[in-house]
Amino acid sequence: MNQQENSYRLLPSIDKLLQTKQLKLLIERVGQDIVKSESRAQLDLLRTAIAGNDESILQRLAEDNFLEALCDNIKEMIESRFTGSLLPVFNLTGTVLHTNLGRARLPHEAISAMQLVASEAVNLEYNLEVGTRGDRDSHIEETLCKITGAEAATVVNNNAAAVLLVLNTLAENKEVVISRGELVEIGGSFRIPDVMKSANCVLREIGTTNRTHLRDYESAVNNLTALFMKVHTSNYEIRGFVNSVLEPELSALAKKHKLPFVSDLGSGTLIDLTRFNLPHEITVQESIRMGADIVTFSGDKLLGGPQAGIIVGKAKLISQIKSNPLKRALRIDKITLAGLTEVINLYLDPSRLPKRLPLLQDLTRPIEDLQILATQLLPSLQRALLGRAVVEAKPCQSQIGSGALPLSLIPSMALEITPLAVKGQTDSELTKLSQAFRKLSKPVIGRIHDGKLIFDLRCLQNKKEFETQLSQLQLC
Ligand SMILES: *Cc1c(COP(=O)(O)O)cnc(C)c1O
């Protein structure tokens, strides 16, 4: 008998595999079908390897612990599939509201509420008093109106959906007048001109990039005009010879022509941020007070809640928006609604917000705390990178992110990693280092700037967790 034939005979049968203690336990957890099909797949791979005379496989087959190793392999394959790919990471990028890293962390009040409604039937669209169909907005509308001063409110899946829904409801097949300076792109896939197209509206751009006047709006009005729109230029700012029309003037002109005035605030905050020593951002209340008929904003930007889009404004317009069939396609689910409602409720008592809202905790974290944290972490990080890089604690600047207050930076502290690579190889060394940190069990995401890998500590909550896994760092 040659070695190949012998190897085939060493392969266990599928039944023998499924009878092992390891796989029996696994079957209890994930079911027979999955374990059986993965076992088959692994046996097929082995047969192919034997047919190809793969030396290392032939050798492994002859080893005593082969059966155990094979079961381990099957278990690992299945578990990796069950773990999924959506993982917690350390956001040390210096961007607090990082869209690619899931934006705002939620307060525990919101998380508990989300957990509860996730596991139970709830009166999402059910009126408990009369026992008939209810309105899912009813759970949040009153509080939103109370806080913002608006007459009515509705919520959808995100702010992009909010803008789309508002435009499609109020301006389908009609013209939307907007300043050229506000035709923004937010994070790649959201561009105002494209959203207009998707909403079936005609974009009527007026003015110039740097200057738009009231007379530009006035002369654009014709019998196809549906509304005036103002978009918060969230992620950039033009300085110098600039002019834009202020909300009260635009609102007055809209009234004169009996047109709605819609304001997309993007980030939208419900509180004057200067009370927390943060830069001022126009609030939803201010926008309503200055005459906006409809205001749209995000749930997971400066508001610090879950992904959602909030629409507040005149009752008549909100009611039209709610009855658009698109609303059904864009509606918020019960879990998000529960979380968002809790976050909005926190705003009823603003003085306690910085303690309760993780986003504000991160944004208002005192620089002294960050300096201490940097000093404490420096030795262990330096030890982990010994011979490969120099680590220094340096002041840096965090940004809020998600287009909020793009030019306002918050003083912070960073650990800066400079590779000890030979000249000309710094870039590839930086790539390797940042890859190694991303491969940790809780990936660490920093940013590369100026030949350094920078870890901004502002959003580091668990120092111990960060430090403990440094020993697993695999530098190749
Ligand atoms: C972020 C933003 C949006 C999109 O909001 P999402 O919640 O990300 O969908 C729309 N308009 C403006 C001005 C924004 O800043």
Side-chain angles (χ1 to χ4, degrees), residues 420-433:
L420 290 169
V422 272
K423 237 189 156 97
Q425 302 208 327
T426 313
D427 283 357
S428 70
E429 183 67 4
L430 276 173
T431 312
K432 273 189 212 154
L433 283 177

PDB file of all heavy atoms in Angstrom, residues 420-433:
ATOM      1  N   LEU A 420      11.413  53.402  14.010  1.00  0.00           N
ATOM      2  CA  LEU A 420      12.865  53.521  13.945  1.00  0.00           C
ATOM      3  C   LEU A 420      13.385  52.935  12.629  1.00  0.00           C
ATOM      4  O   LEU A 420      14.432  52.317  12.590  1.00  0.00           O
ATOM      5  CB  LEU A 420      13.503  52.743  15.109  1.00  0.00           C
ATOM      6  CG  LEU A 420      13.308  53.320  16.512  1.00  0.00           C
ATOM      7  CD1 LEU A 420      13.743  52.321  17.555  1.00  0.00           C
ATOM      8  CD2 LEU A 420      14.061  54.618  16.659  1.00  0.00           C
ATOM      9  N   ALA A 421      12.619  53.075  11.573  1.00  0.00           N
ATOM     10  CA  ALA A 421      12.995  52.455  10.300  1.00  0.00           C
ATOM     11  C   ALA A 421      14.130  53.220   9.632  1.00  0.00           C
ATOM     12  O   ALA A 421      14.330  54.398   9.899  1.00  0.00           O
ATOM     13  CB  ALA A 421      11.789  52.417   9.376  1.00  0.00           C
ATOM     14  N   VAL A 422      14.858  52.501   8.768  1.00  0.00           N
ATOM     15  CA  VAL A 422      15.878  53.194   7.986  1.00  0.00           C
ATOM     16  C   VAL A 422      15.201  54.174   7.042  1.00  0.00           C
ATOM     17  O   VAL A 422      14.055  53.992   6.650  1.00  0.00           O
ATOM     18  CB  VAL A 422      16.751  52.211   7.158  1.00  0.00           C
ATOM     19  CG1 VAL A 422      17.922  51.730   7.967  1.00  0.00           C
ATOM     20  CG2 VAL A 422      15.927  51.066   6.623  1.00  0.00           C
ATOM     21  N   LYS A 423      15.947  55.187   6.677  1.00  0.00           N
ATOM     22  CA  LYS A 423      15.402  56.239   5.828  1.00  0.00           C
ATOM     23  C   LYS A 423      14.758  55.650   4.567  1.00  0.00           C
ATOM     24  O   LYS A 423      15.260  54.713   3.984  1.00  0.00           O
ATOM     25  CB  LYS A 423      16.531  57.183   5.409  1.00  0.00           C
ATOM     26  CG  LYS A 423      16.247  58.619   5.799  1.00  0.00           C
ATOM     27  CD  LYS A 423      17.269  59.558   5.170  1.00  0.00           C
ATOM     28  CE  LYS A 423      16.661  60.930   5.065  1.00  0.00           C
ATOM     29  NZ  LYS A 423      16.967  61.832   6.062  1.00  0.00           N
ATOM     30  N   GLY A 424      13.621  56.187   4.185  1.00  0.00           N
ATOM     31  CA  GLY A 424      12.958  55.729   2.961  1.00  0.00           C
ATOM     32  C   GLY A 424      12.000  54.577   3.214  1.00  0.00           C
ATOM     33  O   GLY A 424      11.244  54.186   2.346  1.00  0.00           O
ATOM     34  N   GLN A 425      12.048  53.999   4.435  1.00  0.00           N
ATOM     35  CA  GLN A 425      11.147  52.865   4.700  1.00  0.00           C
ATOM     36  C   GLN A 425      10.116  53.214   5.761  1.00  0.00           C
ATOM     37  O   GLN A 425       9.389  52.342   6.218  1.00  0.00           O
ATOM     38  CB  GLN A 425      11.959  51.658   5.155  1.00  0.00           C
ATOM     39  CG  GLN A 425      12.997  51.253   4.132  1.00  0.00           C
ATOM     40  CD  GLN A 425      13.325  49.786   4.208  1.00  0.00           C
ATOM     41  OE1 GLN A 425      13.291  49.210   5.287  1.00  0.00           O
ATOM     42  NE2 GLN A 425      13.635  49.196   3.077  1.00  0.00           N
ATOM     43  N   THR A 426      10.079  54.484   6.129  1.00  0.00           N
ATOM     44  CA  THR A 426       9.164  54.894   7.195  1.00  0.00           C
ATOM     45  C   THR A 426       7.717  54.570   6.848  1.00  0.00           C
ATOM     46  O   THR A 426       6.968  54.077   7.685  1.00  0.00           O
ATOM     47  CB  THR A 426       9.296  56.411   7.440  1.00  0.00           C
ATOM     48  OG1 THR A 426      10.678  56.709   7.519  1.00  0.00           O
ATOM     49  CG2 THR A 426       8.618  56.820   8.721  1.00  0.00           C
ATOM     50  N   ASP A 427       7.344  54.817   5.580  1.00  0.00           N
ATOM     51  CA  ASP A 427       5.946  54.619   5.208  1.00  0.00           C
ATOM     52  C   ASP A 427       5.503  53.171   5.347  1.00  0.00           C
ATOM     53  O   ASP A 427       4.447  52.890   5.911  1.00  0.00           O
ATOM     54  CB  ASP A 427       5.693  55.096   3.771  1.00  0.00           C
ATOM     55  CG  ASP A 427       5.595  56.614   3.714  1.00  0.00           C
ATOM     56  OD1 ASP A 427       5.662  57.235   4.800  1.00  0.00           O
ATOM     57  OD2 ASP A 427       5.468  57.157   2.610  1.00  0.00           O
ATOM     58  N   SER A 428       6.330  52.251   4.833  1.00  0.00           N
ATOM     59  CA  SER A 428       5.921  50.842   4.909  1.00  0.00           C
ATOM     60  C   SER A 428       5.945  50.371   6.359  1.00  0.00           C
ATOM     61  O   SER A 428       5.137  49.541   6.771  1.00  0.00           O
ATOM     62  CB  SER A 428       6.810  49.966   4.030  1.00  0.00           C
ATOM     63  OG  SER A 428       8.089  49.876   4.587  1.00  0.00           O
ATOM     64  N   GLU A 429       6.849  50.908   7.152  1.00  0.00           N
ATOM     65  CA  GLU A 429       6.903  50.560   8.568  1.00  0.00           C
ATOM     66  C   GLU A 429       5.657  51.072   9.302  1.00  0.00           C
ATOM     67  O   GLU A 429       5.075  50.370  10.135  1.00  0.00           O
ATOM     68  CB  GLU A 429       8.193  51.144   9.178  1.00  0.00           C
ATOM     69  CG  GLU A 429       8.413  50.803  10.635  1.00  0.00           C
ATOM     70  CD  GLU A 429       8.681  49.322  10.909  1.00  0.00           C
ATOM     71  OE1 GLU A 429       8.773  48.550   9.940  1.00  0.00           O
ATOM     72  OE2 GLU A 429       8.766  48.953  12.090  1.00  0.00           O
ATOM     73  N   LEU A 430       5.232  52.288   8.950  1.00  0.00           N
ATOM     74  CA  LEU A 430       4.006  52.838   9.553  1.00  0.00           C
ATOM     75  C   LEU A 430       2.799  51.988   9.199  1.00  0.00           C
ATOM     76  O   LEU A 430       1.933  51.734  10.028  1.00  0.00           O
ATOM     77  CB  LEU A 430       3.777  54.272   9.058  1.00  0.00           C
ATOM     78  CG  LEU A 430       4.510  55.379   9.799  1.00  0.00           C
ATOM     79  CD1 LEU A 430       4.319  56.704   9.071  1.00  0.00           C
ATOM     80  CD2 LEU A 430       4.006  55.489  11.231  1.00  0.00           C
ATOM     81  N   THR A 431       2.753  51.555   7.933  1.00  0.00           N
ATOM     82  CA  THR A 431       1.647  50.701   7.495  1.00  0.00           C
ATOM     83  C   THR A 431       1.638  49.407   8.306  1.00  0.00           C
ATOM     84  O   THR A 431       0.591  48.957   8.762  1.00  0.00           O
ATOM     85  CB  THR A 431       1.805  50.362   5.998  1.00  0.00           C
ATOM     86  OG1 THR A 431       2.079  51.579   5.305  1.00  0.00           O
ATOM     87  CG2 THR A 431       0.563  49.722   5.439  1.00  0.00           C
ATOM     88  N   LYS A 432       2.830  48.811   8.491  1.00  0.00           N
ATOM     89  CA  LYS A 432       2.929  47.559   9.260  1.00  0.00           C
ATOM     90  C   LYS A 432       2.484  47.771  10.700  1.00  0.00           C
ATOM     91  O   LYS A 432       1.741  46.962  11.258  1.00  0.00           O
ATOM     92  CB  LYS A 432       4.377  47.060   9.257  1.00  0.00           C
ATOM     93  CG  LYS A 432       4.712  46.191   8.073  1.00  0.00           C
ATOM     94  CD  LYS A 432       6.081  45.565   8.271  1.00  0.00           C
ATOM     95  CE  LYS A 432       6.789  45.371   6.952  1.00  0.00           C
ATOM     96  NZ  LYS A 432       8.255  45.351   7.091  1.00  0.00           N
ATOM     97  N   LEU A 433       2.964  48.859  11.301  1.00  0.00           N
ATOM     98  CA  LEU A 433       2.610  49.124  12.699  1.00  0.00           C
ATOM     99  C   LEU A 433       1.099  49.309  12.868  1.00  0.00           C
ATOM    100  O   LEU A 433       0.480  48.702  13.737  1.00  0.00           O
ATOM    101  CB  LEU A 433       3.328  50.381  13.202  1.00  0.00           C
ATOM    102  CG  LEU A 433       4.809  50.245  13.567  1.00  0.00           C
ATOM    103  CD1 LEU A 433       5.373  51.596  13.971  1.00  0.00           C
ATOM    104  CD2 LEU A 433       4.999  49.236  14.692  1.00  0.00           C
TER     105      LEU A 433
END
